[in-house]
Amino acid sequence: MKTESPWSVAQPPAFPRLKHPIETDVLIIGGGITGVTAAYLLSKVGCSVVLVEKTRLCKGETNNTTAHISYPTDLRLNQLVSKFGRNHAEAVWDACFASAEQIRKNVCAEEIACDFRHVPGYLYAAADANQAKEIEKLKEDVRLATEMGFDAEYIESCPLAHQPAVRFSNLFKFEPARYVLHLPQAAQEHGCQIYENCEAGEFDGEARHVQCGGHRISYQHVFIATHVPLQGTAGTLDAALLQTKLAGYSTYALKADLPMGNLPEALWWDTANPYFYLRIDAGSQGIHVIAGGEDHKTGQETATKDRYAALERQLEDMLPPAEITHRWSGQVIETVDGLPYIGEYNGQFIATGFTGTGITYGTLAAMMFRDHVIGVANPWKDLFRVDRKEFSSTWDYLKENKDYPYYLAKSLFIGSKEDPRELASGEGAILRHQGRKVAASRDSDGNLTLLSAICPHMGCVVAWNSADKTWDCPCHGSRFTGQGKVIAGPAESPLEKIKS
């Protein structure tokens, strides 16, 4: 059995050490999901970007992820509403959905071979929970999610766990190392400079420079995209105060293999605290299972073998006997209120406290830093700010942020109509139908056609062209008739038909 994560690239790209002083618009410190995404996004919009990593890219906590890409957060939706109010709870899920969509767009734009998949997710009642109370909470989560425009439904028994659950549509999973190692190469093509084995040392906040590997880097903006923020330009007292609001938790994971079977590809997590989570991948050689959980405060547990044994027992309860091939541990950072800290802090931009949603929140932090640098008003700036206190109860969230690109496209992502019968002749829309995202259109004779909304080329969501009455892919330009037939590539197969 290997005591490391299964994410590996045989020959990862190597980047040089810094050998001379340089100047840049943007300096990013940290080569995990957060840093490389920020470098990619900012280099694409024409910024001068330097990314430095003290060891090798994707060798930190990003490599320890189990790579769920999810808008449901560690805090349940009913908990978010109770704790922060409905507007703020919806904003958190919107932010995570926008982050997941950004990952999908990156995969499609760069054609990254990272086994990116659309999958459902199941939040199910823990075996030792009070079933009556848990069912009530699950149904409340469904009600809130659907009212906010997310695809969620209550089911009495979910696959594998056979417990009451919420089924969420449009979650993703992928191979994180292949994705994270591709983005910096794409950023380089846009002029980004990347240096490995380059540890950030002494900062001068007023002069805006830092010593890295014995050489000075001068910058206009700096993003400390490390797992736990470096002190950087913050004073010793401010840095110490920030640390009092963070807590590190060790988490454990297993990878197991099974022969080919009928297990569904999906994500699962239960309602326990800490929660048990599971993902299933179907490969050409069989079924691969990744399970995780058994979290505890870092340094407060010595019998770590017992944690792995507990995970094995939970696997045995849900699945046929499986061969465990890998086991590894990582660390997640929790904040005092359960939401991450993302934003400017003492002259630098920081991001931390991603809980168990690191891939999603890390990408979100990169998006927010991009907006910070280019001067775009980000709708989640105050929500995740480092010095937040109480949230305003009068915030008209959707109205105040209606011009942000995510909200202009939210109806495309989620579906603005509930029922195909609402479509008029000649109209098309992305909507939810029987728990699934579909491309629905009605021709001039009133005939309704339901198709998969997913372009078969690279998995992008198509959009309705109201002038030509076609389905067009915004990622690579494929076009389809209202009946789903290919008009123009690169797609080679039609949109899948769905029974009404």
Side-chain angles (χ1 to χ4, degrees):
M1 182 191 304
K2 296 182 178 180
T3 55
E4 61 183 12
S5 80
W7 318 121
S8 63
V9 175
Q11 294 182 318
F15 299 91
R17 294 175 182 267
L18 180 64
K19 296 180 180 179
H20 52 80
I22 52 175
E23 296 182 0
T24 184
D25 295 337
V26 178
L27 171 62
I28 299 169
I29 299 171
I33 181 74
T34 308
V36 300
T37 305
Y40 171 72
L41 295 177
L42 281 163
S43 62
K44 278 192 71 175
V45 297
C47 292
S48 168
V49 181
V50 171
L51 169 67
V52 298
E53 163 57 43
K54 71 175 182 179
T55 57
R56 298 291 307 278
L57 299 188
C58 197
K59 286 297 182 182
E61 289 305 323
T62 296
N63 194 51
N64 294 325
T65 181
T66 50
H68 297 218
I69 306 170
S70 169
Y71 54 87
T73 52
D74 278 13
L75 280 176
R76 299 267 296 276
L77 188 53
N78 67 74
Q79 293 174 314
L80 284 172
V81 171
S82 175
K83 196 169 186 178
F84 303 113
R86 184 189 175 92
N87 275 344
H88 298 91
E90 183 172 355
V92 172
W93 273 40
D94 275 351
C96 290
F97 197 99
S99 171
E101 176 63 13
Q102 182 68 62
I103 293 172
R104 185 193 64 78
K105 288 169 65 177
N106 295 346
V107 171
C108 292
E110 299 299 330
E111 300 187 354
I112 304 174
C114 59
D115 200 27
F116 184 86
R117 307 280 185 93
H118 291 75
V119 291
Y122 298 95
L123 168 63
Y124 66 92
D128 59 354
N130 180 308
Q131 292 293 294
K133 290 184 178 179
E134 202 58 80
I135 288 171
E136 183 179 344
K137 290 180 181 178
L138 291 170
K139 289 182 175 180
E140 176 68 1
D141 283 335
V142 169
R143 182 185 68 80
L144 290 168
T146 53
E147 287 177 357
M148 294 176 186
F150 295 96
D151 292 323
E153 64 174 323
Y154 173 78
I155 56 176
E156 294 183 356
S157 179
C158 71
L160 298 187
H162 307 296
Q163 288 282 91
V166 180
R167 183 188 188 277
F168 297 102
S169 300
N170 303 315
L171 276 59
F172 307 130
K173 59 185 177 69
F174 66 172
E175 292 189 16
R178 294 182 185 277
Y179 173 83
V180 171
L181 291 174
H182 186 104
L183 285 187
Q185 296 177 86
Q188 273 191 319
E189 295 176 2
H190 294 284
C192 178
Q193 300 179 64
I194 301 171
Y195 300 98
E196 292 182 321
N197 300 301
C198 182
E199 185 170 6
E202 183 180 349
F203 283 78
D204 187 325
E206 288 189 13
R208 294 181 181 271
H209 62 67
V210 61
Q211 294 292 326
C212 278
H215 301 284
R216 177 179 292 181
I217 302 178
S218 301
Y219 58 83
Q220 294 301 311
H221 302 276
V222 62
F223 184 11
I224 298 186
T226 53
H227 180 56
V228 176
L230 306 176
Q231 179 173 329
T233 60
T236 302
L237 178 58
D238 285 337
L241 287 174
L242 177 61
Q243 292 301 318
T244 66
K245 299 193 288 184
L246 304 175
Y249 283 78
S250 296
T251 185
Y252 301 84
L254 302 171
K255 177 180 177 291
D257 293 341
L258 293 92
M260 293 297 290
N262 295 320
L263 297 180
E265 283 199 272
L267 306 175
W268 287 261
W269 64 105
D270 70 14
T271 60
N273 185 20
Y275 60 87
F276 171 77
Y277 54 95
L278 184 76
R279 70 176 263 180
I280 291 184
D281 305 311
S284 59
Q285 304 300 316
I287 302 294
H288 307 298
V289 179
I290 293 177
E294 292 296 315
D295 301 9
H296 63 79
K297 267 199 169 183
T298 299
Q300 297 188 9
E301 174 65 69
T302 57
T304 54
K305 289 184 179 179
D306 293 344
R307 302 290 174 159
Y308 290 117
L311 285 180
E312 290 183 33
R313 288 193 296 272
Q314 288 180 285
L315 265 183
E316 291 171 358
D317 289 342
M318 293 181 68
L319 296 169
E323 178 189 1
I324 297 174
T325 62
H326 295 71
R327 73 179 190 186
W328 71 100
S329 65
Q331 187 189 60
V332 298
I333 302 298
E334 304 273 358
T335 66
V336 292
D337 63 6
L339 297 183
Y341 298 127
I342 304 171
E344 192 169 18
Y345 183 67
N346 289 316
Q348 61 200 9
F349 201 94
I350 68 170
T352 190
F354 296 163
T355 64
T357 321
I359 295 294
T360 308
Y361 277 140
T363 302
L364 173 66
M367 296 164 63
M368 292 177 66
F369 181 59
R370 174 201 57 196
D371 291 350
H372 170 75
V373 170
I374 66 177
V376 170
N378 187 281
W380 309 299
K381 177 181 177 180
D382 291 335
L383 184 67
F384 298 117
R385 63 185 303 142
V386 182
D387 60 351
R388 63 179 178 263
K389 294 182 175 64
E390 292 187 7
F391 293 119
S392 168
S393 60
T394 60
W395 184 34
D396 195 342
Y397 164 58
L398 295 177
K399 181 178 179 181
E400 292 180 14
N401 296 292
K402 64 181 180 181
D403 294 328
Y404 191 75
Y406 169 76
Y407 296 101
L408 296 176
K410 187 176 180 181
S411 61
L412 170 65
F413 299 153
I414 305 294
S416 58
K417 296 180 183 295
E418 297 285 344
D419 194 325
R421 291 174 295 184
E422 297 178 21
L423 293 173
S425 293
E427 187 179 10
I430 303 296
L431 51 80
R432 294 183 304 276
H433 178 62
Q434 296 178 353
R436 186 175 180 182
K437 183 186 294 183
V438 300
S441 64
R442 194 179 296 280
D443 65 21
S444 57
D445 295 326
N447 299 311
L448 179 68
T449 300
L450 300 180
L451 306 165
S452 168
I454 307 303
C455 176
H457 174 235
M458 288 293 291
C460 291
V461 178
V462 297
W464 178 248
N465 181 328
S466 59
D468 297 330
K469 305 297 187 287
T470 60
W471 292 108
D472 299 347
C473 178
C475 293
H476 298 100
S478 298
R479 303 188 69 203
F480 307 86
T481 67
Q483 289 70 46
K485 294 181 180 179
V486 177
I487 300 173
E492 297 180 0
S493 55
L495 297 175
E496 176 193 350
K497 288 194 174 182
I498 296 173
K499 293 182 180 179
S500 59

